[in-house]
C-alpha cells in the first residue's frame, strides 16, 4: 500500500478548490473532532486506486473511478446527514449515473461506483438506476456543478478521453472487477486514515525480499537428507522445475507423486520466477484449512512469522463502516483485509468465492492478484461443476494483469482447451516427463476386497481384525467412520485407536493428527479411522491403508498416505465397497461408481501418471456440466449479483457451533466473550479453533442443545466426546 504525501492531487485533474465558503465533507468527525473534506477524499482515493491498476494503459480508468466514486456526496441531503444526522441520502447511485453520461468506455466505472458500498449490481439494475437519475436532472446538475467547482474541467476532459478498454467482453467484465476491488480498497484505506490513523499507519506494506527468501529456502534444501531413491528424486524434481523460472508469465503445471516435496519445490520455482519478472507476492491456495495450518508452520520455520499471512474462514469478514469498527492495529490482521503481504496462504473457498463475489469486503483484496504468482495445491479438489468458469476467469486475469498460475497435484486435471471445454491453450509443464518420477515411486500394491462387489460393513470390520500392522481406514461419511471406530476400538489389541472427522473441532483434530504422526514415528501399533479429510496435505505414512470406493482422485490421494517415505518395499492399499453406503453428494457417488468400473476393468490405471487427466476429461464429457450454472454467460451479460449467488463452492451453508467445554482454553474464552459487550474479530479467530460446523437440518433437530449468544455465536451445550467429537444427546434441553 502506498502512503500519500501532503501533495495528493493528480496532475491531469488539476488542484481541487472549495466552492465559495462551503466545504463539502466526505465523512463525519473523527476522534479528534476533524471532518473529512470531500475534495481531499476524492483526490486521495483517486491516487491510491491508480496505484492498483494492473497495467499502465488502464491507469486512467482507475484514477477516474477514484475521483468520481463519491461525487454523489455533493448533494445537500447527504451533507445534512453528515452534519445533522438526518436520514441518509444514497450517493453511489448518482455517481454511477454521472459516469454513464461520459461514454461507453466508462461503463465499467458505473458498476464499480454503484456497488462500492452495496455490491456490484446486475446490468438491469444499472440501467434502472440510470433511468431514475435521467429523470432528475436538477439534482444531477447541482451535483455536477459543485464537483466542477472543486475539480475544474475534469468532466470535460473525461468526455473526450480515449480511455483504454479490452476488446473481449469477458475481459471487460474482469477489468470491472479489478476496478471495483481497487476502488473499494482505496476508499476504505483513505476513510481509515481519517477515522483510525493508527490503524492506517500500522499497515506494513511489503513485497517479496527475493534474496532473503531464496537463500533461506536453499539453506533448508541443504539440510535435507540426500541418501535414498526418494530424496534423490526430490532433488532432481526441484532442479528440473527451477530451470523454467525465466519462462514467460502464464499457466504452469507441476505434476509429481505424493510425498515428493511439491510444496517447497513449487515455492522455490515461484520465488525464482517472481524475481525474474519483478512480481510482488506469492499466493498459495490450498483445499482445506487444516493444510493451511501445516503449510504455514513449515514456511514460518523457514522464513519467520512476519512474512507469511494465513487467510481463511477463521478470519471473520463482514462489510462495515470504519468508524464503527473496533480499533485493531495488528498489521497481519489488517493485511488479511486486502492481501497486502509477500506470501499469502489461503483456501480454495476463500480465493474463488472472493474472485466471483460482488461484495465489497470479499472483493477488496482481489486487485492484489495482479503482479502475483498463484500456486494451486491439490487443484483436482475443485468442484468440477465450476471448472470452466474458473479457468475462463483465470485466463481473463492473465490477459489484464501480470500474473502466473501454477497447478500442483499428483493427479493433474484436464484443463487444456478441447472440444466442448473452454480451457487453457497453453499450460507449460515444469516436469516434462512425470513418469520418470512416478515409476520409481510406485510404493504400494492395490488389493480389491471381494473384487469391489458390495460387502456389509461387518465384513470389512472382520477383515480389519486380521491386520497386524498399523492401518488407516478412510471412508466417505462421518456416520460410517464413527461406526467402524466404535467396533474396532473394542479389540484393545493395538497401542492406540484414533478417530478423525469434521465432528471434531480443529483444535481437537490437530492434536489427534500430531499424536498419530508421533506414534508412527515411534513405531507404535495404531489404528486410525477417518473421513476423507486426511487425503490431502496430511503427512501420514502407514504400511496399510483401507479406502472405501470413491472418485479416482480420492483413491490416489488416499494411497499417498501409504508407504509415503518409501521405507517399505511396498505398502498395501485395500479398496472396498460397503453395501448401501452413502456418499457426500450425487456427483461424488456417480464418479465413485464409474471409478469402481474402470478399476475392475483395468487396475493398472492406479499406477499411471496420466490416468487421472484422461479420467477427468472422460467424466467431464459424460457426467459433469463444467459450467452448471451458466456463470460465464452471466458474466458476459455483466450480471455480477447473479454470478455471486450462483458461485458457491460449498453448496449448503454450515454454521459454527462453539464447543465451550472442550478445554480450559475454550472455557476461558467463553467466559471472556460472555462478559464483553461484543465479540471482536480477534476473538472470532480464536473461537474458530473450538467450533464444529453443522448443516441447518442438524441445528433444527438439536436446537434445544444450542444457545445463541450476542445474536452471532451458537454455543453447543450438548455432548462432546474426547474421541468422537460432537455427540448430540437425546434430551429435550440441556441448558
Amino acid at each position: 500500500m502506498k502512503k500519500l504525501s501532503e501533495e495528493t492531487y493528480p496532475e491531469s485533474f488539476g488542484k481541487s478548490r472549495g466552492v465559495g465558503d462551503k466545504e463539502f465533507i466526505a465523512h463525519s468527525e473523527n476522534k479528534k473532532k476533524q471532518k473529512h473534506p470531500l475534495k481531499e477524499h476524492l483526490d486521495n482515493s483517486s491516487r491510491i486506486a491508480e496505484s492498483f491498476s494492473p497495467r499502465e494503459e488502464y491507469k486512467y480508468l482507475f484514477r477516474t473511478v477514484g475521483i468520481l466514486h463519491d461525487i454523489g456526496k455533493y448533494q445537500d441531503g447527504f451533507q445534512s446527514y453528515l452534519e445533522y444526522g438526518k436520514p441518509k441520502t444514497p450517493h453511489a447511485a448518482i455517481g454511477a449515473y454521472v459516469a454513464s453520461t461520459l461514454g461507453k468506455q466508462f461503463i465499467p466505472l458505473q458498476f464499480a461506483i454503484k456497488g462500492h458500498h452495496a455490491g456490484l449490481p446486475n446490468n438491469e439494475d444499472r440501467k434502472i438506476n440510470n433511468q431514475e437519475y435521467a429523470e432528475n436532472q436538477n439534482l444531477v446538475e447541482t451535483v455536477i456543478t459543485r464537483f466542477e467547482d472543486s475539480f475544474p474541467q475534469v468532466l470535460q476532459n473525461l468526455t473526450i478521453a480515449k480511455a483504454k478498454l479490452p476488446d473481449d467482453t469477458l475481459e471487460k467484465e474482469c477489468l470491472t472487477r479489478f476496478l471495483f476491488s481497487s476502488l473499494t480498497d482505496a476508499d476504505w484505506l483513505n476513510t481509515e486514515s481519517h477515522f483510525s490513523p493508527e490503524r492506517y499507519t500500522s499497515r506494513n506494506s511489503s513485497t517479496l525480499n527475493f534474496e532473503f527468501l531464496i537463500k533461506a529456502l536453499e539453506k533448508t534444501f541443504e539440510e535435507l537428507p540426500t541418501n535414498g531413491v526418494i530424496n534423490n528424486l526430490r532433488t532432481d524434481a526441484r532442479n528440473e522445475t527451477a530451470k523454467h523460472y525465466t519462462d514467460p508469465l502464464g499457466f504452469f503445471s507441476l505434476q509429481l507423486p505424493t510425498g515428493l516435496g511439491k510444496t517447497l519445490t513449487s515455492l522455490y520455482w515461484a520465488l525464482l520466477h517472481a524475481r525474474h519478472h519483478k512480481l510482488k507476492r506469492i499466493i498459495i491456495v490450498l483445499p482445506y484449512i487444516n493444510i493451511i495450518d501445516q503449510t504455514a508452520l513449515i514456511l514460518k520455520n523457514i522464513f519467520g512469522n512476519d512474512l507469511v499471512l494465513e487467510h481463511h474462514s477463521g478470519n471473520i469478514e463482514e462489510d462495515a463502516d470504519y468508524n464503527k469498527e473496533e480499533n485493531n492495529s495488528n498489521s497481519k490482521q489488517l493485511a488479511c483485509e486486502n492481501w497486502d503481504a509477500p506470501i499469502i496462504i489461503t483456501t480454495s473457498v476463500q480465493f474463488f468465492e472472493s474472485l466471483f463475489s460482488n461484495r465489497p469486503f470479499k472483493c477488496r483484496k482481489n486487485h492484489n492478484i495482479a503482479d502475483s504468482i498463484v500456486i494451486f495445491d491439490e487443484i483436482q479438489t475443485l468442484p468440477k461443476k465450476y471448472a470452466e468458469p474458473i479457468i475462463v476467469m483465470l485466463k481473463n486475469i492473465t490477459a489484464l494483469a501480470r500474473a502466473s498460475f501454477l497447478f500442483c497435484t499428483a493427479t493433474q486435471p484436464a484443463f487444456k482447451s478441447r472440444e466442448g471445454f473452454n480451457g487453457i491453450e497453453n499450460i507449460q509443464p515444469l516436469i516434462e516427463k512425470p513418469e520418470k518420477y512416478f515409476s520409481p515411486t510406485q510404493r504400494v500394491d492395490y488389493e480389491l476386497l471381494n473384487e469391489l462387489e458390495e460387502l456389509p460393513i461387518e465384513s470389512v470390520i472382520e477383515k480389519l481384525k486380521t491386520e497386524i500392522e498399523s492401518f488407516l481406514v478412510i471412508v466417505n461419511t462421518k456416520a460410517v467412520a464413527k461406526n467402524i471406530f466404535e467396533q474396532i476400538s473394542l479389540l484393545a489389541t493395538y497401542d492406540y485407536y484414533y478417530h478423525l472427522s469434521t465432528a471434531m473441532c480443529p483444535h481437537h483434530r490437530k492434536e489427534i493428527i500430531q499424536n498419530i504422526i508421533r506414534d508412527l514415528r515411534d513405531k507404535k501399533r495404531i489404528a486410525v479411522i477417518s473421513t476423507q479429510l486426511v487425503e490431502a496435505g496430511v503427512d501420514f505414512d502407514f504400511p496399510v491403508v483401507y479406502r472405501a470406493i470413491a472418485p479416482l482422485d480420492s483413491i490416489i490421494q488416499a494411497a499417498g498416505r501409504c508407504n509415503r517415505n518409501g521405507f517399505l518395499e511396498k505398502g498395501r492399499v485395500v479398496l472396498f465397497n460397503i453395501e448401501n453406503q452413502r456418499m457426500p453428494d450425487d456427483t461424488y457417488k456417480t464418479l465413485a461408481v464409474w471409478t469402481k468400473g474402470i478399476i475392475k476393468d483395468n487396475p493398472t490405471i492406479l499406477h499411471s501418471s496420466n490416468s487421472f487427466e484422461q479420467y477427468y476429461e472422460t467424466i467431464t464429457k459424460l457426467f459433469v456440466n463444467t459450467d452448471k450454472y451458466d456463470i460465464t454467460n452471466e458474466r458476459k451479460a455483466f450480471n455480477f449479483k447473479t454470478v455471486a449467488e450462483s458461485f458457491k463452492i460449498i453448496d449448503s451453508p454450515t454454521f459454527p457451533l462453539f464447543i465451550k467445554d472442550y478445554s480450559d482454553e475454550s472455557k476461558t474464552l467463553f467466559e471472556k466473550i460472555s462478559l464483553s459487550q461484543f465479540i471482536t474479530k480477534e476473538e472470532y479467530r480464536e473461537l474458530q479453533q473450538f467450533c464444529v460446523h453443522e448443516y441447518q437440518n442438524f441445528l433444527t433437530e438439536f436446537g434445544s442443545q444450542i444457545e445463541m449468544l450476542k445474536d452471532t455465536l451458537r454455543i453447543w451445550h450438548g455432548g462432546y466426546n474426547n474421541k468422537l467429537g460432537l455427540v448430540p444427546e437425546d434430551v429435550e434441553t440441556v441448558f
Side-chain angles (χ1 to χ4, degrees):
M1 183 194 71
K2 296 182 179 179
K3 297 293 194 297
L4 302 178
S5 62
E6 293 296 323
E7 185 67 30
T8 58
Y9 310 107
E11 293 180 3
S12 61
F13 287 157
K15 214 169 195 178
S16 60
R17 63 172 187 246
V19 184
D21 295 328
K22 172 70 174 176
E23 181 182 56
F24 294 94
I25 58 175
H27 302 106
S28 55
E29 290 181 349
N30 58 20
K31 295 174 184 176
K32 295 181 179 180
K33 304 299 182 183
Q34 298 168 329
K35 297 175 182 177
H36 197 186
L38 180 54
K39 60 186 179 183
E40 178 184 304
H41 176 57
L42 295 178
D43 276 328
N44 290 350
S45 297
S46 172
R47 177 68 63 84
I48 298 171
E50 179 186 19
S51 74
F52 294 152
S53 175
R55 289 190 183 275
E56 187 72 28
E57 58 263 38
Y58 301 131
K59 280 190 172 182
Y60 195 87
L61 286 171
F62 282 73
R63 193 160 68 242
T64 303
V65 78
I67 206 75
L68 292 181
H69 80 283
D70 273 354
I71 189 174
K73 290 186 177 181
Y74 281 103
Q75 299 173 78
D76 287 336
F78 197 90
Q79 292 299 306
S80 295
Y81 158 71
L82 292 175
E83 194 75 24
Y84 308 112
K86 290 186 177 181
K88 194 170 185 176
T89 303
H91 68 280
I94 191 171
Y97 172 73
V98 172
S100 76
T101 65
L102 301 176
K104 289 184 178 180
Q105 68 268 41
F106 293 104
I107 286 178
L109 274 64
Q110 299 176 52
F111 287 97
I113 294 171
K114 178 75 166 65
H116 77 275
H117 288 295
L120 285 166
N122 279 347
N123 201 13
E124 186 60 31
D125 296 333
R126 176 188 67 89
K127 293 177 181 178
I128 292 172
N129 176 78
N130 289 349
Q131 183 60 37
E132 289 175 356
Y133 282 97
E135 297 170 0
N136 194 355
Q137 284 299 303
N138 288 337
L139 174 61
V140 173
E141 289 174 8
T142 298
V143 167
I144 290 176
T145 298
R146 291 172 175 177
F147 174 80
E148 289 181 329
D149 281 340
S150 289
F151 298 94
Q153 298 184 324
V154 166
L155 290 179
Q156 179 182 341
N157 291 338
L158 290 176
T159 56
I160 60 175
K162 301 293 184 181
K164 175 72 174 175
L165 282 179
D167 295 326
D168 183 84
T169 300
L170 285 169
E171 290 175 18
K172 285 190 184 79
E173 192 265 5
C174 188
L175 181 62
T176 304
R177 292 179 180 275
F178 268 92
L179 280 162
F180 176 61
S181 171
S182 300
L183 172 60
T184 301
D185 198 17
D187 183 22
W188 286 9
L189 285 171
N190 188 245
T191 301
E192 180 181 87
S193 72
H194 170 69
F195 284 114
S196 301
E198 62 280 0
R199 279 175 58 97
Y200 182 73
T201 55
S202 293
R203 293 180 179 273
N204 297 326
S205 178
S206 60
T207 54
L208 292 164
N209 182 337
F210 296 111
E211 299 313 312
F212 168 77
L213 294 169
I214 291 171
K215 285 181 180 178
L217 194 51
E218 288 177 340
K219 184 175 184 296
T220 300
F221 293 146
E222 290 172 1
E223 295 170 352
L224 294 175
T226 57
N227 60 309
V229 175
I230 298 297
N231 290 322
N232 286 331
L233 287 172
R234 286 172 179 160
T235 302
D236 290 347
R238 183 166 64 247
N239 292 338
E240 181 178 350
T241 299
K243 292 177 182 178
H244 290 278
Y245 79 92
T246 61
D247 289 356
L249 297 171
F251 291 97
F252 299 84
S253 67
L254 176 59
Q255 185 180 8
L256 286 172
T258 300
L260 225 61
K262 288 191 296 294
T263 299
L264 295 186
T265 294
S266 62
L267 182 59
Y268 186 53
W269 168 84
L271 286 169
L272 297 174
H273 188 63
R275 181 176 64 180
H276 179 76
H277 290 285
K278 297 180 174 61
L279 302 179
K280 296 178 180 177
R281 66 188 56 81
I282 294 171
I283 303 170
I284 302 172
V285 182
L286 302 169
Y288 310 118
I289 290 177
N290 63 298
I291 310 178
I292 283 187
D293 296 327
Q294 181 172 308
T295 304
L297 181 61
I298 293 170
L299 299 191
K300 287 176 181 178
N301 286 338
I302 297 172
F303 305 128
N305 291 337
D306 294 339
L307 300 180
V308 180
L309 174 70
E310 302 158 76
H311 189 206
H312 49 74
S313 61
N315 303 98
I316 303 299
E317 296 182 349
E318 56 186 349
D319 297 326
D321 295 327
Y322 269 96
N323 56 336
K324 294 181 181 178
E325 285 192 338
E326 72 273 13
N327 178 26
N328 191 331
S329 58
N330 182 300
S331 61
K332 293 194 76 170
Q333 292 168 14
L334 297 177
C336 279
E337 297 170 351
N338 60 357
W339 282 359
D340 195 2
I343 299 177
I344 297 144
I345 308 176
T346 189
T347 61
S348 301
V349 173
Q350 179 70 241
F351 184 87
F352 288 112
E353 288 195 356
S354 295
L355 209 55
F356 287 87
S357 177
N358 73 325
R359 301 299 303 162
F361 200 91
K362 286 188 75 70
C363 294
R364 177 181 178 181
K365 56 188 171 289
N366 291 346
H367 68 85
N368 271 328
I369 297 172
D371 290 317
S372 298
I373 296 174
V374 184
I375 301 172
F376 298 107
D377 200 5
E378 308 296 357
I379 188 66
Q380 80 287 342
T381 60
L382 284 178
K384 296 166 184 64
K385 63 186 175 183
Y386 294 127
E388 192 163 337
I390 283 173
I391 293 303
V392 170
M393 179 70 83
L394 297 182
K395 289 199 301 182
N396 297 154
I397 292 173
T398 59
L400 297 172
R402 299 176 67 250
S404 282
F405 297 106
L406 172 61
F407 303 127
C408 287
T409 181
T411 49
Q412 188 68 45
F415 282 162
K416 290 185 178 180
S417 290
R418 58 182 183 274
E419 185 178 353
F421 182 78
N422 186 1
I424 303 165
E425 286 70 29
N426 179 48
I427 303 177
Q428 174 62 51
L430 299 183
I431 298 294
E432 296 294 341
K433 295 180 179 180
E435 60 272 15
K436 169 187 173 183
Y437 299 94
F438 279 83
S439 296
T441 56
Q442 289 183 9
R443 295 165 294 200
V444 304
D445 287 326
Y446 289 92
E447 301 175 16
L448 309 183
L449 199 57
N450 198 34
E451 295 301 312
L452 290 184
E453 295 302 318
E454 287 190 349
L455 283 170
I457 194 169
E458 290 74 18
S459 297
V460 176
I461 292 170
E462 288 302 315
K463 174 66 174 174
L464 290 171
K465 290 179 180 178
T466 67
E467 293 293 342
I468 58 174
E469 296 183 284
S470 294
F471 63 80
L472 165 67
V473 181
I474 304 176
V475 294
N476 297 314
T477 65
K478 291 187 290 185
V480 173
K482 179 175 179 289
N483 186 348
I484 295 177
F485 174 80
E486 288 178 328
Q487 296 191 55
I488 285 294
S489 59
L490 294 175
L491 297 177
T493 56
Y494 276 57
D495 294 324
Y496 299 102
Y497 293 87
Y498 293 109
H499 164 272
L500 281 168
S501 81
T502 54
M504 303 154 70
C505 67
H507 191 284
H508 192 180
R509 294 201 304 267
K510 282 188 220 174
E511 183 179 14
I512 296 299
I513 287 172
Q514 290 307 310
N515 288 345
I516 292 169
I517 292 173
R518 178 203 63 204
D519 291 344
L520 289 171
R521 182 194 62 217
D522 294 343
K523 309 299 182 184
K524 301 289 187 182
R525 291 180 68 250
I526 63 174
V528 179
I529 316 299
S530 176
T531 59
Q532 56 266 44
L533 67 86
V534 299
E535 283 180 349
V538 180
D539 289 333
F540 287 168
D541 187 358
F542 280 84
V544 180
V545 170
Y546 279 68
R547 183 56 170 102
I549 198 66
L552 184 61
D553 52 321
S554 291
I555 291 174
I556 295 173
Q557 289 295 324
R561 312 310 117 192
C562 182
N563 195 22
R564 185 178 182 86
N565 294 309
F567 295 145
L568 305 173
E569 184 175 344
K570 286 290 180 70
R572 291 171 51 231
V573 176
V574 182
L575 305 181
F576 60 95
N577 186 15
I578 300 174
E579 64 183 10
N580 301 319
Q581 70 169 319
R582 296 181 60 189
M583 301 281 186
D585 55 51
D586 289 341
T587 300
Y588 191 98
K589 181 177 181 179
T590 299
L591 300 186
V593 172
W594 174 257
T595 298
K596 182 188 75 171
I598 60 176
I599 290 175
K600 288 183 67 174
D601 292 341
N602 180 21
T604 60
I605 193 173
L606 294 165
H607 289 299
S608 173
S609 62
N610 64 354
S611 62
F612 185 74
E613 189 168 7
Q614 297 169 358
Y615 159 85
Y616 191 96
E617 182 173 345
T618 301
I619 61 172
T620 52
K621 283 180 180 178
L622 295 178
F623 304 120
V624 181
N625 180 350
T626 55
D627 190 359
K628 182 177 179 179
Y629 300 105
D630 206 25
I631 287 172
T632 298
N633 282 330
E634 293 291 352
R635 285 187 58 212
K636 288 180 180 178
F638 282 65
N639 288 332
F640 296 97
K641 187 171 184 289
T642 300
V643 168
E645 291 169 348
S646 299
F647 192 96
K648 303 291 182 187
I649 288 182
I650 300 175
D651 286 332
S652 301
T654 58
F655 304 90
L657 301 178
F658 177 57
I659 315 299
K660 70 179 182 66
D661 293 327
Y662 169 72
S663 66
D664 290 341
E665 188 178 351
S666 64
K667 290 175 183 177
T668 301
L669 184 56
F670 176 70
E671 291 172 2
K672 179 182 176 183
I673 62 176
S674 297
L675 296 173
S676 61
Q677 185 177 357
F678 59 88
I679 303 171
T680 67
K681 287 183 178 179
E682 176 57 29
E683 288 168 343
Y684 266 118
R685 294 184 182 102
E686 292 181 53
L687 288 166
Q688 291 295 312
Q689 289 300 307
F690 307 106
C691 285
V692 173
H693 288 250
E694 293 289 355
Y695 294 100
Q696 180 60 55
N697 59 350
F698 181 95
L699 272 59
T700 301
E701 183 176 358
F702 299 105
S704 64
Q705 300 172 54
I706 301 169
E707 173 193 6
M708 184 67 78
L709 181 67
K710 303 184 188 302
D711 297 324
T712 58
L713 181 65
R714 294 173 176 84
I715 309 297
W716 176 249
H717 289 276
Y720 191 89
N721 185 282
N722 64 358
K723 293 186 182 296
L724 297 171
L726 188 148
V727 181
E729 297 172 358
D730 189 17
V731 292
E732 290 188 5
T733 184
V734 293
F735 67 94

